PDB file of all heavy atoms in Angstrom:
ATOM      1  N   GLY P  20      25.043  16.899   1.745  1.00  0.00           N
ATOM      2  CA  GLY P  20      24.645  16.558   0.383  1.00  0.00           C
ATOM      3  C   GLY P  20      23.196  16.857   0.051  1.00  0.00           C
ATOM      4  O   GLY P  20      22.785  16.732  -1.103  1.00  0.00           O
ATOM      5  N   PHE P  21      22.401  17.229   1.052  1.00  0.00           N
ATOM      6  CA  PHE P  21      20.994  17.559   0.835  1.00  0.00           C
ATOM      7  C   PHE P  21      20.803  19.077   0.775  1.00  0.00           C
ATOM      8  O   PHE P  21      21.623  19.836   1.318  1.00  0.00           O
ATOM      9  CB  PHE P  21      20.119  17.023   1.980  1.00  0.00           C
ATOM     10  CG  PHE P  21      20.167  15.536   2.149  1.00  0.00           C
ATOM     11  CD1 PHE P  21      20.884  14.946   3.179  1.00  0.00           C
ATOM     12  CD2 PHE P  21      19.471  14.711   1.279  1.00  0.00           C
ATOM     13  CE1 PHE P  21      20.913  13.579   3.347  1.00  0.00           C
ATOM     14  CE2 PHE P  21      19.487  13.333   1.437  1.00  0.00           C
ATOM     15  CZ  PHE P  21      20.219  12.762   2.467  1.00  0.00           C
ATOM     16  N   ARG P  22      19.725  19.501   0.154  1.00  0.00           N
ATOM     17  CA  ARG P  22      19.315  20.896   0.322  1.00  0.00           C
ATOM     18  C   ARG P  22      19.064  21.140   1.809  1.00  0.00           C
ATOM     19  O   ARG P  22      18.549  20.263   2.521  1.00  0.00           O
ATOM     20  CB  ARG P  22      18.039  21.172  -0.468  1.00  0.00           C
ATOM     21  CG  ARG P  22      18.232  21.316  -1.973  1.00  0.00           C
ATOM     22  CD  ARG P  22      16.891  21.595  -2.639  1.00  0.00           C
ATOM     23  NE  ARG P  22      16.230  22.740  -2.017  1.00  0.00           N
ATOM     24  CZ  ARG P  22      16.372  24.007  -2.426  1.00  0.00           C
ATOM     25  NH1 ARG P  22      17.127  24.280  -3.456  1.00  0.00           N
ATOM     26  NH2 ARG P  22      15.735  24.978  -1.808  1.00  0.00           N
ATOM     27  N   LYS P  23      19.390  22.337   2.261  1.00  0.00           N
ATOM     28  CA  LYS P  23      19.297  22.604   3.696  1.00  0.00           C
ATOM     29  C   LYS P  23      17.857  22.575   4.207  1.00  0.00           C
ATOM     30  O   LYS P  23      17.638  22.420   5.412  1.00  0.00           O
ATOM     31  CB  LYS P  23      19.939  23.951   4.010  1.00  0.00           C
ATOM     32  CG  LYS P  23      21.442  23.969   3.764  1.00  0.00           C
ATOM     33  CD  LYS P  23      22.049  25.334   4.046  1.00  0.00           C
ATOM     34  CE  LYS P  23      23.536  25.345   3.747  1.00  0.00           C
ATOM     35  NZ  LYS P  23      24.134  26.692   3.981  1.00  0.00           N
ATOM     36  N   ASP P  24      16.879  22.743   3.306  1.00  0.00           N
ATOM     37  CA  ASP P  24      15.494  22.753   3.768  1.00  0.00           C
ATOM     38  C   ASP P  24      14.774  21.427   3.524  1.00  0.00           C
ATOM     39  O   ASP P  24      13.595  21.300   3.843  1.00  0.00           O
ATOM     40  CB  ASP P  24      14.706  23.898   3.111  1.00  0.00           C
ATOM     41  CG  ASP P  24      14.883  23.967   1.602  1.00  0.00           C
ATOM     42  OD1 ASP P  24      15.330  22.960   1.012  1.00  0.00           O
ATOM     43  OD2 ASP P  24      14.591  25.023   1.011  1.00  0.00           O
ATOM     44  N   THR P  25      15.475  20.425   2.973  1.00  0.00           N
ATOM     45  CA  THR P  25      14.814  19.147   2.687  1.00  0.00           C
ATOM     46  C   THR P  25      14.647  18.284   3.934  1.00  0.00           C
ATOM     47  O   THR P  25      13.536  17.850   4.258  1.00  0.00           O
ATOM     48  CB  THR P  25      15.572  18.370   1.604  1.00  0.00           C
ATOM     49  OG1 THR P  25      15.504  19.085   0.367  1.00  0.00           O
ATOM     50  CG2 THR P  25      14.972  16.990   1.400  1.00  0.00           C
ATOM     51  N   MET P  26      15.734  18.015   4.634  1.00  0.00           N
ATOM     52  CA  MET P  26      15.640  17.127   5.792  1.00  0.00           C
ATOM     53  C   MET P  26      14.747  17.680   6.904  1.00  0.00           C
ATOM     54  O   MET P  26      14.043  16.895   7.570  1.00  0.00           O
ATOM     55  CB  MET P  26      17.034  16.806   6.332  1.00  0.00           C
ATOM     56  CG  MET P  26      17.863  15.924   5.395  1.00  0.00           C
ATOM     57  SD  MET P  26      16.973  14.454   4.786  1.00  0.00           S
ATOM     58  CE  MET P  26      16.648  13.571   6.319  1.00  0.00           C
ATOM     59  N   PRO P  27      14.702  18.987   7.132  1.00  0.00           N
ATOM     60  CA  PRO P  27      13.715  19.479   8.113  1.00  0.00           C
ATOM     61  C   PRO P  27      12.281  19.110   7.740  1.00  0.00           C
ATOM     62  O   PRO P  27      11.476  18.786   8.630  1.00  0.00           O
ATOM     63  CB  PRO P  27      13.931  20.998   8.074  1.00  0.00           C
ATOM     64  CG  PRO P  27      15.375  21.157   7.742  1.00  0.00           C
ATOM     65  CD  PRO P  27      15.654  20.058   6.759  1.00  0.00           C
ATOM     66  N   MET P  28      11.947  19.112   6.442  1.00  0.00           N
ATOM     67  CA  MET P  28      10.599  18.701   6.027  1.00  0.00           C
ATOM     68  C   MET P  28      10.400  17.206   6.222  1.00  0.00           C
ATOM     69  O   MET P  28       9.342  16.757   6.686  1.00  0.00           O
ATOM     70  CB  MET P  28      10.361  19.099   4.563  1.00  0.00           C
ATOM     71  CG  MET P  28      10.222  20.588   4.338  1.00  0.00           C
ATOM     72  SD  MET P  28       9.774  21.000   2.623  1.00  0.00           S
ATOM     73  CE  MET P  28      11.344  20.756   1.787  1.00  0.00           C
ATOM     74  N   VAL P  29      11.398  16.427   5.848  1.00  0.00           N
ATOM     75  CA  VAL P  29      11.326  14.971   6.030  1.00  0.00           C
ATOM     76  C   VAL P  29      11.107  14.640   7.510  1.00  0.00           C
ATOM     77  O   VAL P  29      10.227  13.845   7.875  1.00  0.00           O
ATOM     78  CB  VAL P  29      12.607  14.299   5.504  1.00  0.00           C
ATOM     79  CG1 VAL P  29      12.646  12.821   5.901  1.00  0.00           C
ATOM     80  CG2 VAL P  29      12.711  14.438   3.990  1.00  0.00           C
ATOM     81  N   ASN P  30      11.911  15.257   8.369  1.00  0.00           N
ATOM     82  CA  ASN P  30      11.816  14.977   9.806  1.00  0.00           C
ATOM     83  C   ASN P  30      10.491  15.453  10.386  1.00  0.00           C
ATOM     84  O   ASN P  30       9.917  14.799  11.277  1.00  0.00           O
ATOM     85  CB  ASN P  30      12.987  15.625  10.538  1.00  0.00           C
ATOM     86  CG  ASN P  30      14.318  14.986  10.160  1.00  0.00           C
ATOM     87  OD1 ASN P  30      14.363  13.808   9.807  1.00  0.00           O
ATOM     88  ND2 ASN P  30      15.393  15.752  10.214  1.00  0.00           N
ATOM     89  N   ALA P  31       9.978  16.587   9.896  1.00  0.00           N
ATOM     90  CA  ALA P  31       8.694  17.093  10.392  1.00  0.00           C
ATOM     91  C   ALA P  31       7.559  16.131  10.043  1.00  0.00           C
ATOM     92  O   ALA P  31       6.627  15.930  10.834  1.00  0.00           O
ATOM     93  CB  ALA P  31       8.418  18.474   9.812  1.00  0.00           C
ATOM     94  N   LEU P  32       7.633  15.530   8.856  1.00  0.00           N
ATOM     95  CA  LEU P  32       6.627  14.539   8.483  1.00  0.00           C
ATOM     96  C   LEU P  32       6.735  13.295   9.358  1.00  0.00           C
ATOM     97  O   LEU P  32       5.719  12.758   9.831  1.00  0.00           O
ATOM     98  CB  LEU P  32       6.778  14.162   7.009  1.00  0.00           C
ATOM     99  CG  LEU P  32       6.240  15.164   5.998  1.00  0.00           C
ATOM    100  CD1 LEU P  32       6.669  14.780   4.587  1.00  0.00           C
ATOM    101  CD2 LEU P  32       4.715  15.260   6.063  1.00  0.00           C
ATOM    102  N   LYS P  33       7.957  12.839   9.585  1.00  0.00           N
ATOM    103  CA  LYS P  33       8.148  11.644  10.409  1.00  0.00           C
ATOM    104  C   LYS P  33       7.631  11.865  11.835  1.00  0.00           C
ATOM    105  O   LYS P  33       7.060  10.955  12.455  1.00  0.00           O
ATOM    106  CB  LYS P  33       9.622  11.252  10.430  1.00  0.00           C
ATOM    107  CG  LYS P  33      10.112  10.667   9.105  1.00  0.00           C
ATOM    108  CD  LYS P  33      11.577  10.265   9.185  1.00  0.00           C
ATOM    109  CE  LYS P  33      12.035   9.598   7.891  1.00  0.00           C
ATOM    110  NZ  LYS P  33      13.474   9.212   7.945  1.00  0.00           N
ATOM    111  N   GLU P  34       7.815  13.076  12.373  1.00  0.00           N
ATOM    112  CA  GLU P  34       7.311  13.391  13.707  1.00  0.00           C
ATOM    113  C   GLU P  34       5.786  13.290  13.757  1.00  0.00           C
ATOM    114  O   GLU P  34       5.211  13.074  14.830  1.00  0.00           O
ATOM    115  CB  GLU P  34       7.751  14.799  14.107  1.00  0.00           C
ATOM    116  CG  GLU P  34       9.229  14.916  14.432  1.00  0.00           C
ATOM    117  CD  GLU P  34       9.628  16.352  14.745  1.00  0.00           C
ATOM    118  OE1 GLU P  34       8.723  17.178  15.040  1.00  0.00           O
ATOM    119  OE2 GLU P  34      10.838  16.657  14.697  1.00  0.00           O
ATOM    120  N   ARG P  35       5.153  13.456  12.591  1.00  0.00           N
ATOM    121  CA  ARG P  35       3.697  13.383  12.505  1.00  0.00           C
ATOM    122  C   ARG P  35       3.224  12.007  12.067  1.00  0.00           C
ATOM    123  O   ARG P  35       2.061  11.824  11.716  1.00  0.00           O
ATOM    124  CB  ARG P  35       3.183  14.464  11.551  1.00  0.00           C
ATOM    125  CG  ARG P  35       3.268  15.857  12.162  1.00  0.00           C
ATOM    126  CD  ARG P  35       3.342  16.948  11.103  1.00  0.00           C
ATOM    127  NE  ARG P  35       3.296  18.271  11.729  1.00  0.00           N
ATOM    128  CZ  ARG P  35       4.326  18.825  12.362  1.00  0.00           C
ATOM    129  NH1 ARG P  35       5.477  18.171  12.447  1.00  0.00           N
ATOM    130  NH2 ARG P  35       4.209  20.036  12.900  1.00  0.00           N
ATOM    131  N   GLY P  36       4.141  11.041  12.042  1.00  0.00           N
ATOM    132  CA  GLY P  36       3.759   9.672  11.726  1.00  0.00           C
ATOM    133  C   GLY P  36       3.656   9.363  10.246  1.00  0.00           C
ATOM    134  O   GLY P  36       3.079   8.332   9.861  1.00  0.00           O
ATOM    135  N   VAL P  37       4.208  10.242   9.399  1.00  0.00           N
ATOM    136  CA  VAL P  37       4.162  10.032   7.951  1.00  0.00           C
ATOM    137  C   VAL P  37       5.531   9.567   7.478  1.00  0.00           C
ATOM    138  O   VAL P  37       6.554  10.200   7.754  1.00  0.00           O
ATOM    139  CB  VAL P  37       3.762  11.328   7.215  1.00  0.00           C
ATOM    140  CG1 VAL P  37       3.775  11.108   5.704  1.00  0.00           C
ATOM    141  CG2 VAL P  37       2.391  11.805   7.672  1.00  0.00           C
ATOM    142  N   ASP P  38       5.569   8.461   6.765  1.00  0.00           N
ATOM    143  CA  ASP P  38       6.824   7.921   6.241  1.00  0.00           C
ATOM    144  C   ASP P  38       7.331   8.810   5.108  1.00  0.00           C
ATOM    145  O   ASP P  38       6.578   9.147   4.182  1.00  0.00           O
ATOM    146  CB  ASP P  38       6.597   6.496   5.727  1.00  0.00           C
ATOM    147  CG  ASP P  38       7.896   5.764   5.466  1.00  0.00           C
ATOM    148  OD1 ASP P  38       8.975   6.313   5.785  1.00  0.00           O
ATOM    149  OD2 ASP P  38       7.839   4.635   4.936  1.00  0.00           O
ATOM    150  N   ALA P  39       8.581   9.234   5.178  1.00  0.00           N
ATOM    151  CA  ALA P  39       9.145  10.123   4.168  1.00  0.00           C
ATOM    152  C   ALA P  39      10.605   9.773   3.942  1.00  0.00           C
ATOM    153  O   ALA P  39      11.304   9.337   4.860  1.00  0.00           O
ATOM    154  CB  ALA P  39       9.015  11.575   4.603  1.00  0.00           C
ATOM    155  N   GLU P  40      11.056   9.944   2.711  1.00  0.00           N
ATOM    156  CA  GLU P  40      12.468   9.699   2.389  1.00  0.00           C
ATOM    157  C   GLU P  40      12.878  10.552   1.205  1.00  0.00           C
ATOM    158  O   GLU P  40      12.044  11.088   0.471  1.00  0.00           O
ATOM    159  CB  GLU P  40      12.709   8.222   2.080  1.00  0.00           C
ATOM    160  CG  GLU P  40      12.056   7.734   0.791  1.00  0.00           C
ATOM    161  CD  GLU P  40      12.463   6.296   0.455  1.00  0.00           C
ATOM    162  OE1 GLU P  40      13.654   6.075   0.209  1.00  0.00           O
ATOM    163  OE2 GLU P  40      11.570   5.419   0.440  1.00  0.00           O
ATOM    164  N   VAL P  41      14.203  10.669   1.018  1.00  0.00           N
ATOM    165  CA  VAL P  41      14.777  11.427  -0.091  1.00  0.00           C
ATOM    166  C   VAL P  41      15.327  10.452  -1.119  1.00  0.00           C
ATOM    167  O   VAL P  41      16.006   9.480  -0.767  1.00  0.00           O
ATOM    168  CB  VAL P  41      15.910  12.359   0.394  1.00  0.00           C
ATOM    169  CG1 VAL P  41      16.513  13.125  -0.781  1.00  0.00           C
ATOM    170  CG2 VAL P  41      15.387  13.315   1.447  1.00  0.00           C
TER     171      VAL P  41
END
Side-chain angles (χ1 to χ4, degrees):
F21 300 104
R22 284 180 53 91
K23 294 178 182 178
D24 49 18
T25 294
M26 291 311 298
M28 290 186 284
V29 170
N30 293 332
L32 283 170
K33 288 181 176 179
E34 288 177 18
R35 287 156 175 76
V37 178
D38 193 6
E40 68 173 296
V41 179

